[in-house]
Amino acid sequence: MSRYNARVVEPKWQAAWEKAGTFTARRDPARPKYYVLEMFPYPSGRIHIGHVRNYTMGDVIARYKKANGFSVLHPMGWDAFGMPAENAAMDKGVHPGDWTYQNIADMRSQMKPLGFSIDWAREFATCDPEYYGQQQKLFLDMLDAGLVYRKNAVVNWDPVDMTVLANEQVIDGKGWRSNAEVERKELTQWFFKISDYSEELLEAIDTLKDWPEKVRLMQANWIGKSRGLEFGFRTLDAPEGFDTLDVYTTRPDTLLGASFAAISPDHPLAKALEVREDIATFNAECRKTGTSEEALEKAEKRGIDTGIRVVHPLDPNWELPVYIANFILMDYGTGAIFGCPAHDQRDLDFARKYGLPVIDVYQDMNAGKPVEAEAYVPPKTEPVRYVKLLAGDEIMTGNDAVDAAIDYCESKGIGTGVTKFRLRDWGISRQRYWGCPIPVVHCDACGVVPEKTENLPVTLPKDVTLDAPGNPLDRHPTWRDTECPSCGGPAKRETDTMDTFVDSSWYFARFTSPEAKTPTEADDVAYWMNVDQYIGGVEHAILHLLYSRFFARAMHKTGHLPREAIEPFNALFTQGMVTHETYATRSDTGRVIWHAPDEVTLSGDKAHLKDGSPVEIGPVIKMSKSKKNVIDPEDIIDQYGADTARWFVMSDSPPERDVEWTAAGAEAAWKHLQRVWRLADEIRQSADEASPDGGSEEALALKKATHRAIADVTQGIEGFAFNKSVAKLYELTNVLAKSKAPAAEKLETVNVLARLMQPLTPHLAEEIWHALGQATLISDADWPVADPALLVEDEITLPIQINGKRRAEISVAKDASRETIEALALADAAVQKVLDGADPKKIIVVPGRIINVVL
RNA sequence: GCGGGCGUGAUGGAAUGGUAGACAUACCAGACUUAAAAUCUGAGGGGCGUAUGCCCGUGUGGGUUCGAGUCCCACCGCCCGCACCA
């Protein structure tokens, strides 16, 4: 008996696939196409188990579709721009480009042994000038189409390092390197007009039938369409030019419950008032909060009375104070609100803190009572009783009241009903080196001028230093100097680079013709787009997927994608994350230092480093390089081979759920694959000896089990329930091992088993296929088809419940009538005993399922 | 804070509103072996009982239903996202 040696077998078949071009994607008009894509990785340098899980899922789909006759595109690339390369450059003195390409080489060499059915000829990295040059072309086309503009926006500013910080680099309001208090600073930034598509991006969510409902919900909430009233308060004692204060509200029905107005510290009026020292101080304090919405919302709610008052639009004698408040966002609405404490918890907290009145507008229909500690905020769909009625009926839902209030205010000329979206335009400027240069030039004479297409790509200079903070492109002695594409005079290049989300917003289209001299090639996108199945982490549910949907529309508008491709991902699967405990110690200055699992020794529920110092065991969170809680899959591959790693990550955990990595189980996977090989080998040998054993009854039983397995494994793959497919493969193996069927029948089952396992463990499947004497590759073999006639059972077992508890079971013919089943159930001894001669109140018979006798 | 999700044996997890715990891991017992490993066989949610069996069990508390892990409401815990992390 030959032993299965993955170390020898796996490279052999990988070489065979490469030689035969088995996974080369070809445009084949005779076959339907299938484009399967997993979100491409950031080249951190090491693949981790999350990658293995992600790409194995895609590979199972790709191989399964190929076996079903599709022409499959399954590419791979690298999301290669971004901060970690600059951090590595600063920490280790390497060039970001060298670091990145070395990481790519390392990761490719770790990925290839996994035997994925990837067309490696299409590989590219977003930091290749050939890629980002085409991205610059897209940028210029979008600029031309009016989808790009400049405006001021705030960034996190580190006053010590004199550099812009990402939100991730702001920790508790302080810079991660300098530990200095972060400030907000305004810069002129480039923006994509995603808001032009707010309505369309929202409505088209309905067409994304094969996306998870939760992602569609999150996107809809993110876009955040709301209907409300915009109106101007007349101001008293305000600085010149601020005669009115425009506010937006989604609850105009609560206008009679207003007790104050509040503006953002970034509101123009707030800035105009900074001549007052207390207000200047207050605003400066507010600006120390980071720019993230989370930081703003979590900050303690604070305000300052400006002394300005506004006149209530419905009563000229009613004056409200105007506060500057740190929880008002300048980015949403007009940056100013009116506060209605009775029906908004935040407003109520604010009113209690500053001694402002609380005026009830509506109350519960039944148990109406004035608001005290808790604001009364029922759903807008619930009818309530209005005690301060602006318009409409006394009893109505919030939604009806809002409509009535808007109509009323419009008729009185107080304001206008407007639709607003929460979605903001996409700021893409980054003051960083390692990104795609924004291809424009600043000319003293001509202003901002787009670079000429023939001068693309605008490449990054290699000779930069990252030992000082800030953008090296800014400091570079010559790179900035250029001539104006318009007047030919001396000019300066834009030194901002693009957000790395831009890179990942169209790479899927580029894979269809990665070497084209234009961003896309019409024939190729027409054949390959859309992505039929997109697979990636749920953490990308909003930003990446929304930006890609916008980009597809922008690319259609600029002629780079057909109309049919404006929703680029037909089906989406969001896999769960691979999580792991985190391990941390603290430096002398109190800074958190993270430790990798292999640096930590666990004993019971305690952990310590090799030097014995105690380690805090942190929460189980997604594996990330920054928290160091990553597991290296290479160990498993080295020890057991790729098939074991693939089998292991696909078994047990349902793919959409998070899985906490534990080392136990890899060996079990390996044992099982050894068992399959041994079994196949034994059966092949016994078939050679042609020993006639078993009878036709066993043959039929095995045949049925085999076809049952075909149906179940297929269903598992189709439904992204790979763990269930694996369980069914275990079952079939167990049945086969115990079967007394004739060798020929067993051999047939081995043939099917190999083909069913091929997407999961392709190398083992090839080896068995070869041993069975097949001259072809199993990777080219057809998917087995279940015979429906073999899937039905003649006799089925039905459980009998008495009052909903299972008490007995009976065996009936599969097509037995309701009456027959009922009679059989009533005749059952257990039922007879409980009935004790009486008639049951009710009998529920669900044919093929269950019988419930109700007493 | 806001938006979204998840919660089932010791463990990973099965279960179109219809027999809770498929399949697997770990543990235990047995076979083989001088022995161990490997392999094979078997038992097992908890409680009571010799047993037929009975009671209790899907984070907690309510509800809908002939029937709830599944649907609804409230709560608890954990996870993801929050626009400059990728």
Side-chain angles (χ1 to χ4, degrees):
Chain A
M1 185 180 74
S2 59
R3 195 179 145 82
Y4 182 76
N5 187 347
R7 221 181 282 259
V8 175
V9 169
E10 291 181 351
K12 179 178 76 182
W13 292 113
Q14 285 163 18
W17 299 329
E18 195 172 336
K19 190 175 166 217
T22 307
F23 305 119
T24 302
R26 293 184 186 85
R27 266 166 48 194
D28 180 353
R31 286 193 296 163
K33 67 91 189 179
Y34 198 89
Y35 183 2
V36 57
L37 181 67
E38 307 98 45
M39 291 178 186
F40 66 165
Y42 178 80
S44 60
R46 308 290 302 171
I47 61 167
H48 65 70
I49 205 74
H51 292 123
V52 177
R53 195 180 188 212
N54 188 210
Y55 302 124
T56 303
M57 281 179 206
D59 200 45
V60 169
I61 299 293
R63 287 172 173 273
Y64 168 75
K65 288 293 175 182
K66 180 174 160 62
N68 278 284
F70 288 85
S71 176
V72 172
L73 172 58
H74 184 209
M76 179 58 65
W78 310 95
D79 187 15
F81 275 135
M83 281 202 311
E86 295 194 8
N87 293 336
M90 281 186 264
D91 294 344
K92 295 169 193 150
V94 291
H95 187 273
D98 296 341
W99 182 84
T100 302
Y101 280 108
Q102 183 60 53
N103 282 351
I104 288 172
D106 290 347
M107 287 180 77
R108 189 194 300 113
S109 69
Q110 291 165 52
M111 218 183 267
K112 283 202 166 179
L114 282 159
F116 296 137
S117 64
I118 288 166
D119 182 358
W120 284 100
R122 290 171 186 260
E123 177 192 353
F124 63 77
T126 56
C127 62
D128 297 341
E130 295 75 23
Y131 181 79
Y132 72 71
Q134 297 302 330
Q135 186 163 304
Q136 291 170 340
K137 170 80 171 102
L138 289 177
F139 177 93
L140 294 180
D141 287 350
M142 285 166 73
L143 184 63
D144 205 38
L147 290 170
V148 184
Y149 69 102
R150 296 218 299 165
K151 72 170 178 183
N152 283 354
V154 290
V155 294
N156 300 305
W157 180 253
D158 186 320
V160 170
D161 281 350
M162 302 291 279
T163 190
V164 177
L165 296 179
N167 283 338
E168 192 193 49
Q169 298 171 310
V170 179
I171 295 158
D172 298 330
K174 300 197 169 95
W176 69 344
R177 286 181 198 274
S178 69
N179 218 28
E181 293 232 21
V182 170
E183 296 166 5
R184 265 181 266 171
K185 186 180 174 181
E186 273 200 6
L187 292 179
T188 306
Q189 310 254 291
W190 289 94
F191 282 82
F192 283 147
K193 262 190 163 173
I194 190 172
S195 63
D196 273 8
Y197 294 88
S198 299
E199 183 81 56
E200 199 194 317
L201 287 167
L202 180 66
E203 288 196 350
I205 289 173
D206 285 342
T207 68
L208 303 174
K209 302 281 183 227
D210 292 318
W211 282 40
E213 184 57 33
K214 64 175 172 182
V215 174
R216 304 198 304 166
L217 243 180
M218 281 191 267
Q219 292 227 342
N221 288 338
W222 185 262
I223 295 169
K225 184 178 182 175
S226 66
R227 171 106 180 125
L229 181 77
E230 196 166 299
F231 67 94
F233 276 120
R234 188 159 58 83
T235 60
L236 301 172
D237 306 327
E240 214 180 308
F242 294 98
D243 298 338
T244 58
L245 177 65
D246 288 332
V247 303
Y248 173 74
T249 176
T250 58
R251 292 308 298 260
D253 57 318
T254 64
L255 204 43
L256 293 171
S259 67
F260 63 95
I263 61 175
S264 162
D266 297 318
H267 193 280
L269 175 57
K271 288 183 183 167
L273 291 171
E274 285 179 11
V275 288
R276 257 176 61 185
E277 200 177 317
D278 56 339
I279 288 181
T281 309
F282 178 81
N283 288 352
E285 277 298 309
C286 290
R287 286 188 194 114
K288 283 184 180 165
T289 315
T291 57
S292 79
E293 198 166 301
E294 184 189 6
L296 292 171
E297 293 277 353
K298 275 189 179 164
E300 190 202 348
K301 307 296 176 279
R302 296 173 57 219
I304 185 169
D305 192 345
T306 61
I308 297 169
R309 278 148 298 122
V310 290
V311 179
H312 197 285
L314 295 166
D315 180 353
N317 298 316
W318 188 355
E319 293 179 9
L320 305 171
V322 177
Y323 280 77
I324 300 170
N326 65 347
F327 58 87
I328 312 296
L329 304 171
M330 193 56 220
D331 288 320
Y332 185 63
T334 60
I337 60 140
F338 75 81
C340 176
H343 305 295
D344 182 297
Q345 190 60 42
R346 203 166 52 180
D347 291 353
L348 182 65
D349 295 342
F350 193 81
R352 295 296 187 216
K353 188 164 181 175
Y354 295 102
L356 298 162
V358 177
I359 306 160
D360 294 272
V361 176
Y362 47 80
Q363 295 181 342
D364 187 275
M365 294 256 289
N366 309 311
K369 56 174 195 283
V371 162
E372 286 173 17
E374 256 179 55
Y376 179 52
V377 194
K380 274 187 182 173
T381 48
E382 192 174 291
V384 291
R385 182 186 308 279
Y386 278 78
V387 294
K388 277 212 180 272
L389 187 61
L390 183 63
D393 304 320
E394 189 188 336
I395 291 172
M396 57 184 164
T397 65
N399 283 325
D400 291 341
V402 168
D403 291 342
I406 290 173
D407 287 348
Y408 176 81
C409 290
E410 282 187 334
S411 73
K412 292 282 176 187
I414 291 166
T416 32
V418 290
T419 297
K420 282 201 188 291
F421 293 90
R422 208 185 75 98
L423 180 65
R424 309 197 297 253
D425 277 333
W426 175 10
I428 59 154
S429 292
R430 299 290 181 272
Q431 294 69 43
R432 298 216 178 90
Y433 166 73
W434 195 233
C436 171
I438 293 174
V440 298
V441 163
H442 298 269
C443 170
D444 284 342
C446 309
V448 178
V449 185
E451 183 55 272
K452 288 180 185 164
T453 309
E454 59 264 35
N455 291 342
L456 299 183
V458 175
T459 52
L460 291 166
K462 180 90 197 238
D463 55 334
V464 289
T465 49
L466 284 111
D467 44 11
N471 184 351
L473 297 177
D474 247 352
R475 293 194 301 266
H476 195 279
T478 56
W479 184 81
R480 297 184 68 175
D481 301 322
T482 186
E483 60 185 43
C484 172
S486 177
C487 70
K492 298 277 186 203
R493 288 196 184 284
E494 171 69 61
T495 59
D496 282 355
T497 52
M498 292 184 211
D499 178 7
T500 56
F501 269 119
V502 180
D503 312 337
S504 56
S505 291
W506 71 286
Y507 76 108
F508 46 86
R510 184 69 183 169
F511 274 135
T512 64
S513 42
E515 283 165 21
K517 299 297 177 208
T518 46
T520 60
E521 192 75 62
D523 288 349
D524 285 315
V525 287
Y527 181 79
W528 290 114
M529 286 297 285
N530 294 340
V531 175
D532 292 280
Q533 182 65 61
Y534 197 34
I535 303 168
V538 67
E539 70 272 24
H540 294 292
I542 295 175
L543 291 178
H544 162 60
L545 290 165
L546 192 61
Y547 289 152
S548 296
R549 295 179 61 216
F550 160 68
F551 237 76
R553 284 166 172 78
M555 286 176 76
H556 168 59
K557 189 174 183 183
T558 51
H560 299 294
L561 276 181
R563 171 82 215 168
E564 300 76 51
I566 62 168
E567 283 298 344
F569 310 124
N570 288 350
L572 172 71
F573 185 84
T574 52
Q575 60 177 115
M577 280 167 296
V578 181
T579 59
H580 199 279
E581 286 179 327
T582 44
Y583 307 108
T585 55
R586 302 234 168 211
S587 72
D588 300 340
T589 56
R591 246 176 62 184
V592 175
I593 301 169
W594 301 101
H595 298 280
D598 57 12
E599 296 173 52
V600 176
T601 311
L602 294 171
S603 51
D605 54 359
K606 295 258 174 19
H608 58 85
L609 293 180
K610 293 196 173 57
D611 64 11
S613 50
V615 173
E616 277 177 56
I617 300 182
V620 177
I621 55 170
K622 86 168 161 172
M623 287 192 184
S624 81
K625 211 172 148 59
S626 62
K627 302 286 192 295
K628 286 198 174 178
N629 59 336
V630 288
I631 291 288
D632 198 334
E634 225 176 23
D635 299 342
I636 298 168
I637 299 167
D638 284 350
Q639 200 173 349
Y640 303 111
D643 282 339
T644 296
R646 295 170 59 117
W647 181 262
F648 178 56
V649 294
M650 298 304 273
S651 51
D652 293 346
S653 266
E656 71 278 8
R657 206 184 290 189
D658 287 355
V659 56
E660 185 185 353
W661 172 266
T662 55
E667 188 174 337
W670 181 80
K671 279 183 189 173
H672 176 71
L673 298 187
Q674 288 290 337
R675 180 174 176 234
V676 170
W677 169 252
R678 222 167 34 238
L679 193 57
D681 201 44
E682 278 167 18
I683 290 169
R684 184 183 56 77
Q685 286 184 33
S686 69
D688 289 347
E689 293 151 17
S691 58
D693 56 349
S696 62
E697 204 170 301
E698 282 87 355
L700 182 64
L702 182 59
K703 203 185 251 303
K704 277 189 166 185
T706 304
H707 282 254
R708 182 80 259 161
I710 295 173
D712 290 345
V713 171
T714 304
Q715 196 188 6
I717 294 175
E718 290 276 358
F720 261 86
F722 306 115
N723 55 322
K724 287 188 245 169
S725 291
V726 167
K728 297 299 175 185
L729 288 167
Y730 270 114
E731 267 178 28
L732 181 60
T733 309
N734 290 340
V735 168
L736 178 62
K738 287 181 181 155
S739 174
K740 298 273 190 294
E745 193 58 50
K746 287 195 192 176
L747 211 50
E748 177 55 30
T749 295
V750 172
N751 177 300
V752 171
L753 180 64
R755 282 185 289 157
L756 292 178
M757 288 179 75
Q758 184 265 128
L760 290 150
T761 56
H763 312 89
L764 173 64
E766 290 285 7
E767 193 70 6
I768 293 174
W769 195 246
H770 181 69
L772 291 177
Q774 301 282 349
T776 54
L777 289 168
I778 199 171
S779 298
D780 286 323
D782 288 341
W783 192 249
V785 179
D787 179 353
L790 291 167
L791 297 178
V792 289
E793 295 295 333
D794 299 335
E795 283 276 305
I796 54 171
T797 302
L798 283 186
I800 301 174
Q801 292 184 334
I802 293 166
N803 284 340
K805 283 181 190 278
R806 184 188 154 280
R807 285 295 128 101
E809 57 185 39
I810 51 172
S811 191
V812 298
K814 77 168 193 321
D815 49 3
S817 70
R818 186 177 292 267
E819 290 72 25
T820 317
I821 295 171
E822 195 172 312
L824 278 169
L826 286 176
D828 183 85
V831 176
Q832 285 285 326
K833 189 181 161 200
V834 186
L835 280 176
D836 197 21
D839 280 338
K841 204 182 283 175
K842 200 171 172 184
I843 302 180
I844 287 139
V845 176
V846 185
R849 277 289 170 196
I850 206 162
I851 302 147
N852 192 6
V853 180
V854 185
L855 300 181

